[in-house]
């Protein structure tokens, strides 16, 4: 038994039997009394409600959160997420109160009721649904309401070209949409999403010629979001096209406007007149500017100008709303990237110079320590010699042997060790008296002078200064 209506129902039962008699034909029913009543309460299957935050129109790189809530008060729900796509063979078909639509289940499934896209990309454009389940055997909720999500990017792989080049159009007019790629426009199809038909490609609502879709007579049912889609899942920027049966529409750019560029919004009329074209312009429901003509010019557009825009004529009515998307300027992004690059480069250069200075300082300290140690070793080695130290370097060998000897036995020599007498021995070459030429010195022709240091008398030492040096010159002639 399938129960369609919710509520409480009372059920009773009884049994009957039919008896047959011979001779002539007749039969009779015998039935038992009704059983005791049983009340069965049927509750409607819980529903799921899908919402989006902060909004359904986003710029590539933004973050968006899809939230799924169950209308039932019970807890412990786990959630599955789906995205609706145009009809394809092999995909699951969902039949619910929203009609028949195709869907693909996303890989994310869990107890949390949030599905986060961060950062949002062009291929996230689509229509999403959710469903909750709990218990064993599993109790499923109904599928949620479809929630569209539209992402615009800076460099989409293909562009949707619309003629006439605006997002709002009057009924009974014609419209042409085509997918244009810089390298190859084949393999792309135009798809759309409407509240009534959900996601369908051009073959279901237009005339297809290659990658171009044409509509001969527009009606309000053509209002929806249009985009180009490839078989591999790549998307163009979506465009929200509205068809209005009134007298006023808003002419706004089809594709995102770059920051710093001018933007012109214009009110168009089904039956234009030369006079009384005054219009007020709105953004996100608030008055943006009141004009004496039907145009509004923003000379330098910024991100704050992004939003839903529409215009209103005091007598002819108002247009529908259109989303105006603003993207960051390429030069600004490059300048920002360049500034960051220079800052990072200077930081690395400063660190490298600091490390180099530390290494040079360490090397210098190490070198000074090595030199000091070598001087100490050299000084110790010279002190270990027997007093024979060179006084002058060169080809002439000049030595001084200083030996302070205490001849008196009184120890005065040691006491007066600061009084030193030096002797300088110089060697001169002999002059040949016959011819005036210098004679060649012989290796053994060397005379040494013995220098003996004698202590001065005490009286004289008392008058002498502590640093009294006495020098004797001894000349050795060859």
């Amino acid at each position: 038994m399938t129960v369609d209506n919710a509520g409480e129902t009372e059920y009773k039962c009884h049994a009957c039997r039919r008896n047959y008699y011979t001779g002539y034909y007749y039969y009779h029913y015998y039935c038992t009394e009704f059983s005791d009543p049983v009340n069965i309460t049927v509750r409607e299957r819980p529903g799921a409600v899908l919402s989006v935050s902060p909004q359904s129109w986003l710029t590539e790189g933004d973050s968006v959160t899809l939230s799924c809530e169950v209308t039932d008060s019970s807890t412990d729900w786990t959630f599955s997420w789906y995205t609706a796509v145009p009809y394809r063979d092999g995909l699951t078909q969902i039949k619910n109160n929203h009609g028949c639509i195709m869907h693909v289940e996303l890989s994310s499934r869990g107890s949390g009721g949030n599905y986060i896209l961060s950062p949002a990309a062009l291929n996230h454009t689509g229509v999403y649904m959710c469903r909750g389940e709990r218990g064993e055997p599993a109790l499923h909720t109904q599928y949620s309401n479809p929630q569209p999500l539209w992402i615009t990017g800076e460099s989409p792989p293909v562009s949707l070209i619309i003629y006439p080049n605006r997002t709002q159009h009057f009924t009974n007019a014609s419209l042409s949409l085509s997918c244009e790629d810089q390298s190859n426009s084949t393999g792309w199809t135009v798809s759309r999403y409407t509240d009534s038909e959900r996601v369908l490609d051009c073959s279901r609502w237009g005339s297809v010629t290659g990658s171009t879709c044409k509509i001969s007579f527009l009606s309000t049912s053509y209002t929806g979001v249009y985009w180009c889609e490839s078989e591999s899942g790549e998307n163009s920027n979506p465009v929200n096209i509205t068809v209005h049966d009134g007298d006023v529409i808003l002419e706004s750019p089809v594709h995102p406007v770059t920051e710093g560029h001018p933007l012109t919004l214009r009110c168009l009329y089904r039956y234009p007149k030369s006079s009384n074209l005054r219009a007020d312009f709105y953004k996100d429901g608030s008055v943006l500017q009141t004009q004496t003509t039907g145009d509004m010019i923003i000379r330098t557009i910024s991100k704050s100008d992004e939003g839903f825009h529409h215009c209103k004529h005091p007598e002819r009515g108002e247009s529908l709303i259109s989303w105006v998307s603003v993207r960051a300027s390429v030069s600004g992004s490059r300048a920002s990237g360049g500034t960051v690059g220079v800052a990072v480069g200077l930081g690395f250069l400063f660190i490298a110079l600091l490390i180099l200075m530390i290494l040079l300082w360490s090397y210098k300290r190490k070198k000074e320590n090595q030199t000091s140690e070598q001087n100490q070793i050299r000084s110790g080695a010279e002190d270990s010699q027997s007093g024979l130290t060179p006084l002058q370097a060169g080809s002439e060998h000049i030595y001084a042997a200083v030996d302070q000897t205490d001849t008196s036995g009184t120890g005065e020599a040691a006491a007066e060790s600061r009084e030193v007498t030096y002797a300088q021995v110089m060697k001169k070459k002999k002059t040949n008296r016959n011819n005036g030429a210098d004679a060649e010195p012989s290796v053994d022709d060397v005379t040494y002078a013995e220098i003996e240091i004698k202590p001065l008398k005490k009286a004289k030492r008392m008058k002498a200064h502590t640093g009294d040096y006495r020098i004797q010159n001894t000349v050795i002639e060859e």
Side-chain angles (χ1 to χ4, degrees):
M1 180 177 64
T2 302
V3 179
D4 294 330
N5 298 323
E8 186 177 53
T9 305
E10 182 181 275
Y11 292 87
K12 293 185 294 182
C13 69
H14 69 137
C16 293
R17 184 179 67 177
R18 186 170 57 178
N19 291 333
Y20 292 92
Y21 292 90
T22 59
Y24 59 95
Y25 177 79
Y26 83 96
Y27 62 90
H28 183 73
Y29 280 102
Y30 291 94
C31 296
T32 67
E33 295 181 356
F34 281 95
S35 67
D36 294 333
V38 174
N39 292 327
I40 296 178
T41 302
V42 179
R43 293 186 302 173
E44 186 179 1
R45 178 181 295 186
V49 179
L50 180 59
S51 58
V52 61
S53 177
Q55 57 192 13
S56 59
W57 283 88
L58 301 164
T59 302
E60 187 177 23
D62 294 342
S63 297
V64 61
T65 301
L66 297 170
S67 299
C68 190
E69 295 182 0
V70 179
T71 56
D72 189 89
S73 60
S74 57
T75 58
D76 299 331
W77 291 97
T78 59
F79 297 90
S80 300
W81 302 88
Y82 307 89
T83 179
V85 296
Y87 177 83
R88 298 173 189 169
D89 293 335
L91 296 182
T92 304
Q93 177 173 304
I94 299 175
K95 182 176 178 61
N96 56 10
N97 57 340
H98 303 294
C100 294
I101 55 178
M102 311 303 295
H103 84 282
V104 175
E105 183 174 1
L106 302 175
S107 59
S108 177
R109 176 183 292 185
S111 58
N114 293 330
Y115 185 77
I116 301 175
L117 297 174
S118 180
L122 281 174
N123 58 359
H124 291 144
T125 287
V127 182
Y128 293 81
M129 293 179 297
C130 67
R131 186 174 68 163
E133 66 176 63
R134 68 179 179 88
E136 187 64 35
L139 170 65
H140 293 90
T141 67
Q142 298 179 9
Y143 287 96
S144 70
N145 55 295
Q147 175 59 59
L149 192 64
W150 314 116
I151 314 296
T152 59
E154 181 178 339
S155 301
V158 69
S159 295
L160 176 63
I161 306 302
I162 300 175
Y163 183 81
N165 187 25
R166 58 176 183 260
T167 58
Q168 295 190 15
H169 301 268
F170 291 111
T171 54
N172 300 326
S174 62
L175 182 65
S176 174
L177 307 101
S178 60
C179 301
E180 292 190 5
D181 189 3
Q182 294 181 354
S183 58
N184 183 16
S185 60
T186 60
W188 295 92
T189 58
V190 179
S191 298
R192 80 174 184 189
Y193 169 83
T194 61
D195 293 334
S196 58
E197 297 175 342
R198 307 309 176 194
V199 181
L200 295 174
D201 60 29
C202 178
S203 63
R204 307 287 295 273
W205 44 265
S207 175
V208 181
T209 304
S211 294
T212 301
C213 183
K214 293 183 179 181
I215 304 171
S216 299
F217 297 96
L218 288 171
S219 64
T220 55
S221 63
Y222 283 89
T223 294
V225 179
Y226 294 73
W227 69 93
C228 295
E229 187 178 58
S230 68
E231 295 180 356
S232 61
E234 292 182 300
N235 295 329
S236 69
N237 283 338
V239 178
N240 186 26
I241 295 178
T242 55
V243 181
H244 193 23
D245 56 1
D247 292 337
V248 181
I249 62 173
L250 176 69
E251 184 181 78
S252 60
V254 172
H255 299 292
V257 184
T258 304
E259 278 187 310
H261 288 197
L263 171 66
T264 300
L265 299 176
R266 182 176 291 111
C267 249
L268 300 180
Y269 306 98
R270 186 185 294 271
Y271 307 106
K273 295 180 180 179
S274 58
S275 61
N276 194 17
L277 296 179
R278 175 180 172 273
D280 300 330
F281 291 86
Y282 297 79
K283 173 183 174 291
D284 298 331
S286 301
V287 176
L288 187 64
Q289 195 168 354
T290 300
Q291 298 287 332
T292 56
T293 63
D295 297 343
M296 186 187 74
I297 300 176
I298 302 176
R299 301 193 181 279
T300 304
I301 195 170
S302 63
K303 192 69 176 177
S304 61
D305 296 315
E306 186 176 73
F308 291 98
H309 292 254
H310 77 280
C311 65
K312 182 179 180 180
H313 189 272
E315 298 176 0
R316 300 188 183 185
E318 60 183 340
S319 71
L320 301 175
I321 62 173
S322 289
W323 173 262
V324 175
S325 179
V326 180
R327 65 186 178 191
S329 62
V330 177
S331 59
S333 301
R334 291 178 178 175
S336 177
T339 303
V340 173
V342 170
V344 173
L346 290 176
F348 278 114
L349 180 60
F350 175 77
I351 293 174
L353 290 175
L354 183 61
I355 294 175
L356 180 61
M357 292 176 64
I358 293 174
L359 291 176
L360 290 175
W361 179 79
S362 300
Y363 175 78
K364 183 178 179 181
R365 288 291 302 273
K366 185 177 180 181
K367 197 71 175 176
E368 290 177 352
N369 292 337
Q370 291 178 351
T371 304
S372 176
E373 292 176 358
Q374 291 177 359
N375 292 338
Q376 292 177 1
I377 295 172
R378 186 181 298 111
S379 175
E382 291 175 353
D383 293 342
S384 64
Q385 294 179 0
S386 60
L388 186 62
T389 57
L391 295 178
Q392 182 177 348
S395 60
E396 301 290 338
H397 301 282
I398 304 174
Y399 295 90
V402 180
D403 184 10
Q404 293 181 322
T405 305
D406 183 9
T407 57
S408 63
T410 61
E412 293 180 353
E416 300 295 336
S417 60
R418 292 186 178 180
E419 294 186 2
V420 182
T421 301
Y422 291 91
Q424 181 177 5
V425 182
M426 301 179 60
K427 183 174 69 175
K428 289 186 178 182
K429 297 180 180 180
K430 287 184 179 182
T431 304
N432 193 336
R433 296 177 181 178
N434 296 328
N435 53 14
D438 294 338
E440 293 294 329
S442 175
V443 176
D444 298 331
D445 192 8
V446 179
T447 304
Y448 294 91
E450 183 177 356
I451 304 170
E452 182 178 356
I453 302 176
K454 294 182 179 181
L456 298 176
K457 293 181 180 181
K458 186 173 182 181
K460 296 181 178 181
R461 283 201 310 271
M462 294 294 293
K463 296 179 180 181
H465 190 269
T466 305
D468 186 10
Y469 299 96
R470 301 187 183 273
I471 301 175
Q472 296 178 359
N473 294 334
T474 304
V475 178
I476 303 174
E477 294 184 353
E478 296 180 350

